Amino acid sequence: MAEDETGRLLEKLDIGQKIRLLTGASNWRTYAEPAVGLRPLTMSDGPAGVRGETWDERRTSLVLPSPTALAASWDEELVRDLGGLLATEARRKGVQVLLAPTLNLHRSPLGGRHFECFSEDPLLTARTGVAFVKGVQEGGVAATAKHFVANDAETDRLHVDVRVTERALRELYLAPFEAAVEAGVWAVMSAYNKVNGVTMSASPLLEWPLKGDRPLPGNGPVQGGWGFDGLVVSDWGAVRSLLGSARSGQDLAMPGPESPWAAGLLAAVTAGLIDEARIDDKVRRLLRLARRVGALGEPAPLRRPLTPPAGERALLRRAVAAGTVLLRNERDVLPLDPARLRRVAVIGPQATSVRIQGGGSAEVFPSSVVTPLEGIEAALGEAPVEAGDGYRPEVTYTPGLPPHTRPRPLDPAWTRDPRGGEPGVLVRLLDAHGAELHAEHRLSGRIVEPARVAGAVTVEISALVRPARSGSWTLGVGGWGLISLSVDGRTLLSDEFPLDSDDPTRVHVSPPYRCVRAELTEGVESEVIARRRLDAGTGVATLLAAAPPPGDAPTALAAAEAAARAADVAVVVVGTTQESESEGRDRDSLALPDGQDALVRAVVRANPRTVVLVNSGGPVAMPWHREVPALLLSWFPGQEAGHGLADVLFGRAEPGGRLPTTWALAEEDVPVLDTRPRDGRLPYEEGVHIGHRAWLRAGARPAYWFGHGLGYTTWTYEGMEAPSAVSGDGAGVEVRVRLRNTGPRRGREVVQVYVARTDTAVDRPVRALAGYASVEADPGEEAVATVRLAARALSHWSTDRGRWETEPGAFTLLAGSSAGELPLRTTLTVAAPGPLAPDASMESALR
């Protein structure tokens, strides 16, 4: 009935009205059409929080752990709950379409945006992504699977031509999107890049396999169309041509109101260059999405929030522990017992300036952040006072490194609005004569979107800066065009900086800083004023930032050593920075920046009871990892970082995470590393061998295998049961793995099953993840994990025949705790060849 009604509504629109709907009305909204009762759709980033329509630090959001942390939980129920939390947040902000999840793969550890993606593995990514989609859409908000497809690196991401085989596409890069479609995702986002010579907004992949109908049995040999009935929205600015994109499966060009479609699509249809039936299909999909989210016809009834407000922070806190990976725990340093501690040394700049999220378009503004230092102090403050001594453990803090010398946006902790005196800055919009048109108080020197005021020519940010140290400070203005900066009335910078990029993140979100030096005196306020002319085509983002004078590295390191030596235990927090890991650029190195490796080694020498906590979105090199008794990986843990990490440190919660990506000891060991195009092309020469598959083919051993992670108990794998033979008709396989908790406390284990095949005519991975399940048990208790393997786990994509096929013969099934620790194995024989049945797809792996 709903589809019939959508068809009748379509008949009410003329071609001009239809075409108008296919380009956004603004940055984040689509057009309304009163003639059919269509209201605007509001879209928002992102994967770790819902920002809403504006970049305004006064409009805060809940911040989840990064998607890498969600995948590290290997816990679909938790991810589904977090998706529901995002849906609740979206509805609060009037958002109907959430631009998440990101389903691209960790092909190379140098990928700069991996914090926003789930994992290196298509099955883990698919199952995590499906849980995310279901959680969001159960809350009445559309999820958007992105970025379709092979958008796995940031270098030249707008134009790079990814060269990849059909088999690798099907088995790796398309697989998570296929799973999302089969789970009912309502929207898919086309990527910026090209695949095999065609930009994705004009790619035939949008028609087949994405929208192609799946053939019925006996209707021919071709398989593999998914029948997606939702909307294909472009990445922002990704529709860069008229005819190619309009003739493809692309449905909506964002943002608006300008786009190639807005400029020329009506004329192209009128001239017969585009079939109006294509336009009708695109509009029908937009109306279908609007109906699903309650923006068409009668408003949908409000849904009960999936997570009540009182439980939101508790859920976020639980998610921190669930995604934290315990890589190493020699001599059972963890969990820490407060009753045995008198002094805890917390060390490292990120203990007080923790990265809770990655940089770029998905950033949101948290209402609060609990740092690791605050979490540790709170946990020990709640510890019972020992009866005899009446003490609680003392917590000391030292950064261990000198202050960073890279500018950071002005912070209200040490700046004041020069007009009102409140912490923060004053933002003014000026006309061509310098007269004030608008003024407002803001909390940060990062003004991505100032108010839109007619006649505004210049944006001005000013603040009274109260430095904590005397010396030569670095002051910077981020933006493009004519820029000036003055300190106490003295102009230090006045120059024009032409736009040098078409990357939306670099232009509109994180423009480069133009820096000068200024002598400032501790405790003495100086008025700093930055101005930028709002020239057309230069964006509106303007940033005013500062960095203190360089500190003395040996002195800072000596202070850290002294603090560690005087403590019962040292907790060192290290990680990546905004400059080393962010959207818009790939990483130059896996090494931790700013001398952090030396800091770790110095602290471990000073105190053998040292816990290192790594705060990064993706893998980093840890040349000291064997020297550290306890090593935790927190990823970007979201706003409840400190509380969740303290829960793990003191044993209130088990570290639930398992690695979603293989971690190397050194960059030169990584078998698939390249993210740099050559002559505009990035060849995926490794085929289906990425992640742990690539390590196994190379015969190399990483520092930590995909799937690795320790808990606070131990497990023994005792047995494995599986059928000895199956037919090749597409049936799945059920594997039962028996294991026992041999440690001192209740725990959770993620049981992983891999498939291998040695006698084969197909270029297969040495082994690949085929399924997984988690179990919990008390000390001494046996548990049985039931792991369901889809028929897809035993199949391969035949490019010659255009279908999934299962090669007859003997497969080896291996079970254990990681790709490198698989103590159990059995043989499964596929008795008869044959293509997969239509329902033997990725979906069967998700039941």
Side-chain angles (χ1 to χ4, degrees), residues 35 37 165 175 194 227 229 256 273 292 322 358 361 395 494 501 542 630 635 641 683 686 752 781 784:
T165 66
K194 299 175 183 176
D229 70 352
L273 299 175
R292 285 169 167 166
S361 61
V395 180
S494 181
S501 174
T542 307
W635 312 101
E686 68 282 351
Q752 302 160 44
E781 185 181 2
V784 177

Side-chain angles (χ1 to χ4, degrees), residues 158-159 478-483 495-514 532-542:
L158 270 65
H159 309 288
W480 309 92
L482 183 61
I483 289 174
D495 206 345
E496 189 149 0
F497 300 92
L499 190 68
D500 68 0
S501 174
D502 57 356
D503 189 304
T505 296
R506 183 171 171 83
V507 175
H508 300 294
V509 178
S510 302
Y513 286 114
R514 327 298 177 174
R532 188 174 81 82
R533 193 174 63 200
L534 296 171
D535 293 336
T538 63
V540 296
T542 307

Side-chain angles (χ1 to χ4, degrees), residues 226-567:
W226 306 341
F228 174 60
D229 70 352
L231 183 82
V232 177
V233 58
S234 73
D235 206 340
W236 265 227
V239 172
R240 296 185 286 261
S241 66
L242 174 59
L243 296 181
S245 60
R247 289 170 176 163
S248 78
Q250 184 69 53
D251 298 320
L252 175 65
M254 289 296 290
E258 289 82 28
S259 82
W261 288 4
L265 190 51
L266 179 59
V269 173
T270 303
L273 299 175
I274 303 292
D275 191 335
E276 188 170 348
R278 279 199 172 273
I279 304 301
D280 287 349
D281 181 64
K282 297 176 194 300
V283 176
R284 185 177 290 109
R285 290 170 179 273
L286 178 66
L287 295 177
R288 185 180 296 137
L289 175 62
R291 186 179 298 281
R292 285 169 167 166
V293 299
L296 181 64
E298 290 298 318
L302 291 176
R303 301 188 184 215
R304 178 180 61 84
L306 298 182
T307 305
E312 291 173 346
R313 291 188 64 178
L315 177 59
L316 295 177
R317 179 172 179 165
R318 180 162 66 89
V320 176
T324 297
V325 182
L326 179 58
L327 294 175
R328 185 175 170 85
N329 192 22
E330 299 298 306
R331 303 187 300 278
D332 293 330
V333 170
L334 293 176
L336 301 174
D337 182 356
R340 297 187 177 186
L341 300 175
R342 290 191 176 267
R343 179 176 293 174
V344 177
V346 181
I347 298 167
Q350 281 169 275
T352 56
S353 299
V354 62
R355 290 195 74 188
I356 65 168
Q357 60 183 325
S361 61
E363 287 180 78
V364 297
F365 302 100
S367 57
S368 63
V369 175
V370 183
T371 68
L373 176 61
E374 291 168 338
I376 291 169
E377 288 176 331
L380 292 178
E382 297 165 1
V385 176
E386 291 303 300
D389 298 332
Y391 72 88
R392 283 194 176 94
E394 176 189 1
V395 180
T396 65
Y397 171 69
T398 180
L401 296 172
H404 62 80
T405 57
R406 296 176 295 273
R408 294 287 186 268
L410 297 189
D411 187 283
W414 42 277
T415 61
R416 288 196 304 129
D417 181 331
R419 180 172 293 176
E422 308 98 322
V425 305
L426 174 67
V427 177
R428 300 197 305 151
L429 293 170
L430 312 176
D431 67 14
H433 305 289
E436 180 180 299
L437 300 174
H438 173 81
E440 62 181 349
H441 172 69
R442 298 291 292 266
L443 303 177
S444 166
R446 186 183 183 202
I447 309 299
V448 176
E449 289 181 348
R452 296 182 181 273
V453 178
V457 172
T458 300
V459 59
E460 177 190 277
I461 307 173
S462 61
L464 296 175
V465 176
R466 185 178 62 260
R469 296 173 54 201
S470 296
S472 180
W473 282 65
T474 300
L475 302 176
V477 184
W480 309 92
L482 183 61
I483 289 174
S484 67
L485 180 113
S486 66
V487 177
D488 293 330
R490 185 164 58 97
T491 300
L492 302 181
L493 172 69
S494 181
D495 206 345
E496 189 149 0
F497 300 92
L499 190 68
D500 68 0
S501 174
D502 57 356
D503 189 304
T505 296
R506 183 171 171 83
V507 175
H508 300 294
V509 178
S510 302
Y513 286 114
R514 327 298 177 174
C515 295
V516 295
R517 308 280 293 184
E519 292 294 326
L520 302 179
T521 303
E522 177 182 351
V524 176
E525 289 186 331
S526 292
E527 185 174 39
V528 179
I529 300 175
R531 287 181 177 155
R532 188 174 81 82
R533 193 174 63 200
L534 296 171
D535 293 336
T538 63
V540 296
T542 307
L543 289 68
L544 178 55
D552 182 66
T555 300
L557 194 62
E561 290 178 288
R565 195 173 295 114

Side-chain angles (χ1 to χ4, degrees), residues 554-717:
T555 300
L557 194 62
E561 290 178 288
R565 195 173 295 114
D568 299 300
V569 66
V571 179
V572 186
V573 188
V574 294
T576 57
T577 64
Q578 186 81 11
E579 291 76 19
S580 65
E581 188 180 16
S582 186
E583 180 185 349
R585 57 184 177 276
D586 289 313
R587 295 163 66 186
D588 296 323
S589 169
L590 294 181
L592 289 169
D594 304 332
Q596 294 181 83
D597 288 336
L599 173 63
V600 170
R601 283 185 159 131
V603 172
V604 173
R605 285 195 302 268
N607 189 331
R609 284 177 55 80
T610 291
V611 180
V612 175
L613 197 157
V614 179
N615 177 209
S616 70
V620 298
M622 301 178 294
W624 35 260
H625 78 106
R626 291 192 184 94
E627 305 164 34
V628 174
L631 178 56
L632 282 165
L633 171 59
S634 74
W635 312 101
F636 295 149
Q639 69 179 57
E640 297 299 311
H643 286 325
L645 293 170
D647 288 343
V648 170
L649 288 171
F650 298 106
R652 294 176 177 176
E654 190 175 37
R658 305 295 186 266
L659 285 179
T661 297
T662 306
W663 279 47
L665 177 61
E667 188 173 315
E668 56 268 22
D669 298 336
V670 179
V672 178
L673 189 68
D674 188 25
T675 63
R676 309 289 174 179
R678 297 180 291 278
D679 298 323
R681 296 181 178 182
L682 181 59
Y684 285 15
E685 295 171 340
E686 68 282 351
V688 297
H689 305 278
I690 66 168
H692 59 283
R693 303 169 177 214
W695 284 90
L696 289 163
R697 184 172 71 158
R701 186 169 184 84
Y704 298 101
W705 282 104
F706 170 80
H708 172 74
L710 306 174
Y712 287 155
T713 191
T714 55
W715 298 87
T716 298
Y717 283 74

Side-chain angles (χ1 to χ4, degrees), residues 65-314:
S66 61
T68 41
L70 302 190
S73 73
W74 296 59
D75 185 341
E76 287 141 81
E77 183 177 348
L78 172 64
V79 174
R80 194 165 180 165
D81 288 346
L82 291 166
L85 180 60
L86 288 174
T88 301
E89 184 91 330
R91 293 199 306 272
R92 285 182 192 143
K93 293 174 176 278
V95 169
Q96 292 85 33
V97 181
L98 186 67
L99 303 176
T102 301
L103 299 180
N104 304 116
L105 300 183
H106 295 185
R107 174 179 170 267
S108 162
L110 290 178
R113 201 175 180 180
H114 280 348
F115 55 83
E116 198 176 310
C117 312
F118 290 123
S119 84
E120 70 183 28
D121 185 80
L123 179 61
L124 178 59
T125 296
R127 288 178 56 168
T128 309
V130 164
F132 186 101
V133 166
K134 288 181 176 179
V136 171
Q137 293 187 172
E138 285 164 357
V141 175
T144 307
K146 67 179 188 181
H147 309 85
F148 189 87
V149 63
N151 185 192
D152 310 297
E154 294 295 279
T155 304
D156 195 25
R157 62 178 178 156
L158 270 65
H159 309 288
V160 62
D161 183 5
V162 172
R163 296 295 172 132
V164 57
T165 66
E166 182 181 349
R167 183 178 171 211
L169 269 175
R170 286 284 188 162
E171 294 187 17
L172 297 181
Y173 303 102
L174 287 171
F177 291 94
E178 180 182 0
V181 169
E182 291 182 343
V185 72
W186 292 342
V188 168
M189 179 187 287
S190 61
Y192 289 124
N193 55 286
K194 299 175 183 176
V195 171
N196 297 331
V198 183
T199 189
M200 280 311 305
S201 61
S203 173
L205 294 171
L206 298 178
E207 294 281 4
W208 185 270
L210 180 59
K211 292 182 175 181
D213 294 327
R214 187 179 294 280
L216 297 174
N219 282 11
V222 177
Q223 293 182 353
W226 306 341
F228 174 60
D229 70 352
L231 183 82
V232 177
V233 58
S234 73
D235 206 340
W236 265 227
V239 172
R240 296 185 286 261
S241 66
L242 174 59
L243 296 181
S245 60
R247 289 170 176 163
S248 78
Q250 184 69 53
D251 298 320
L252 175 65
M254 289 296 290
E258 289 82 28
S259 82
W261 288 4
L265 190 51
L266 179 59
V269 173
T270 303
L273 299 175
I274 303 292
D275 191 335
E276 188 170 348
R278 279 199 172 273
I279 304 301
D280 287 349
D281 181 64
K282 297 176 194 300
V283 176
R284 185 177 290 109
R285 290 170 179 273
L286 178 66
L287 295 177
R288 185 180 296 137
L289 175 62
R291 186 179 298 281
R292 285 169 167 166
V293 299
L296 181 64
E298 290 298 318
L302 291 176
R303 301 188 184 215
R304 178 180 61 84
L306 298 182
T307 305
E312 291 173 346
R313 291 188 64 178

